[in-house]
Amino acid sequence: MAKKNINEMSFLDHLEDLRWHLIRICLAVIIVATVVFIFSRFVFDSIIFAPLDMGFPTYDLLCRAGNFIGVETTFCAEEMPMILQNRTMAGQFSADIWTAILGGFIISFPYVVYQLWKFISPGLHDNERKYSRGFIVVSSLLFFVGILFGYYIVTPLSLNFLANYSISTVVDNQIDISSYIALVRSSALASGLIFELPIIIYFLTKVGLVTPEILKKYRKYALVIVLILSAIITPPDIASQVIVAIPILILYQVSIYISKIVIKNQKRKAKQYV
């Protein structure tokens, strides 16, 4: 059966179309998650638990930087002062399943974006589809850069700070595996989603909810929000928050520039129709 024209589709037709796109997304995530689950030993030993090793690239770099400026730092320690443990019968199995699902989503993200784009693109004009052709590539690139930023910057900074934070020598850090994986997961995923800010601003500008003037006017409020977000996804030390806040502020400035371009293109098209 041929697919109906977008103008001929009813509300229920749109829901049916959306349902099939969501089904394809779920199938893609499940298939990739299955592969991740099969190679779970490699995923945990080489990726998830890698920040526990003091030979992790971020620790080595920060240790060298501390030695260069003559400052003692916990990044030069021989081992992380914490022990992972599992305290529930299904704890390791649950960690394996949820990590596989998250890995499936991250790896299949370009396909997820592609399916969402296939759903919304029929409602756009030909010229709008032309200018938005790189949407999938750009959004996927920003997401993966954000994931890497969260994994190599936010995660080790948070882990090192919290593992070395102590209220007394009486207390040992015996961390449950679910707590550790939640930190790695939230740091990486939150950073990946935050790096989608330019894409979000692009669409908000397209629908008229955001303008460059609004973004500039509320820049100081955005700074406060950025610092709050940095405090949420990082440990409560100033250095970590600044490291996280800098790229977010850069993304905000890039978003203002993108918003300007969108408004400029809309004005040019409006003149052509006059």
Side-chain angles (χ1 to χ4, degrees):
M1 183 177 178
K3 189 174 181 179
K4 295 182 181 180
N5 185 279
I6 185 68
N7 296 321
E8 300 174 351
M9 295 176 66
S10 65
F11 177 72
L12 292 178
D13 289 331
H14 283 292
L15 286 181
E16 178 67 12
D17 189 35
L18 176 61
R19 184 173 74 91
W20 280 106
H21 286 294
L22 293 178
I23 288 175
R24 295 187 188 100
I25 289 174
C26 291
L27 286 175
V29 172
I30 291 173
I31 292 172
V32 179
T34 302
V35 176
V36 174
F37 183 80
I38 293 173
F39 294 96
S40 61
R41 180 58 66 90
F42 169 80
V43 172
F44 278 98
D45 290 343
S46 301
I47 301 176
I48 303 297
F49 295 145
L52 290 172
D53 185 357
M54 293 309 296
F56 195 67
T58 306
Y59 301 140
D60 182 63
L61 180 62
L62 293 175
C63 176
R64 292 173 183 272
N67 292 334
F68 179 76
I69 61 178
V71 176
E72 291 188 13
T73 172
T74 55
F75 295 112
C76 296
E78 294 184 0
E79 61 180 18
M80 189 70 67
M82 60 178 286
I83 299 174
L84 283 186
Q85 62 177 348
N86 174 51
R87 297 182 297 173
T88 59
M89 287 296 296
Q92 296 195 54
F93 180 71
S94 297
D96 207 354
I97 292 295
W98 285 108
T99 299
I101 293 174
L102 178 64
F105 173 76
I106 291 176
I107 297 173
S108 60
F109 184 80
Y111 184 77
V112 172
V113 175
Y114 170 74
Q115 285 299 322
L116 294 176
W117 176 248
K118 288 283 287 183
F119 175 70
I120 65 175
S121 60
L124 301 177
H125 298 294
D126 291 338
N127 57 343
E128 291 176 328
R129 283 196 292 269
K130 176 182 176 182
Y131 288 116
S132 304
R133 193 169 295 169
F135 166 73
I136 298 173
V137 175
V138 174
S139 60
S140 299
L141 180 62
L142 287 173
F143 180 74
F144 289 132
V145 170
I147 291 291
L148 292 175
F149 178 80
Y151 179 72
Y152 281 103
I153 303 298
V154 180
T155 295
L157 287 177
S158 302
L159 185 61
N160 183 74
F161 175 84
L162 296 174
N164 286 280
Y165 188 87
S166 176
I167 58 175
S168 172
T169 56
V170 176
V171 183
D172 292 329
N173 282 331
Q174 298 181 2
I175 310 301
D176 190 79
I177 186 175
S178 61
S179 177
Y180 171 81
I181 293 178
L183 184 145
V184 177
R185 178 178 63 239
S186 61
S187 298
L189 196 57
S191 297
L193 295 177
I194 288 174
F195 270 60
E196 292 294 303
L197 180 62
I199 300 296
I200 296 173
I201 294 299
Y202 171 82
F203 282 104
L204 291 178
T205 304
K206 290 287 289 185
V207 298
L209 295 177
V210 168
T211 64
E213 290 72 24
I214 291 177
L215 293 174
K216 290 179 181 178
K217 179 180 179 181
Y218 293 99
R219 193 185 340 231
K220 57 183 179 182
Y221 301 107
L223 174 61
V224 175
I225 295 174
V226 165
L227 293 176
I228 292 175
L229 287 173
S230 301
I232 291 174
I233 65 176
T234 60
D237 65 285
I238 300 300
S240 299
Q241 293 179 18
V242 170
I243 291 174
V244 174
I246 288 176
I248 299 178
L249 290 174
I250 293 175
L251 287 172
Y252 188 83
Q253 288 300 124
V254 171
S255 299
I256 295 177
Y257 178 71
I258 291 175
S259 184
K260 286 182 179 179
I261 294 177
V262 173
I263 295 296
K264 183 179 179 181
N265 289 337
Q266 288 178 339
K267 289 181 178 178
R268 186 176 68 248
K269 294 174 187 175
K271 290 182 180 178
Q272 292 176 353
Y273 288 109
V274 173

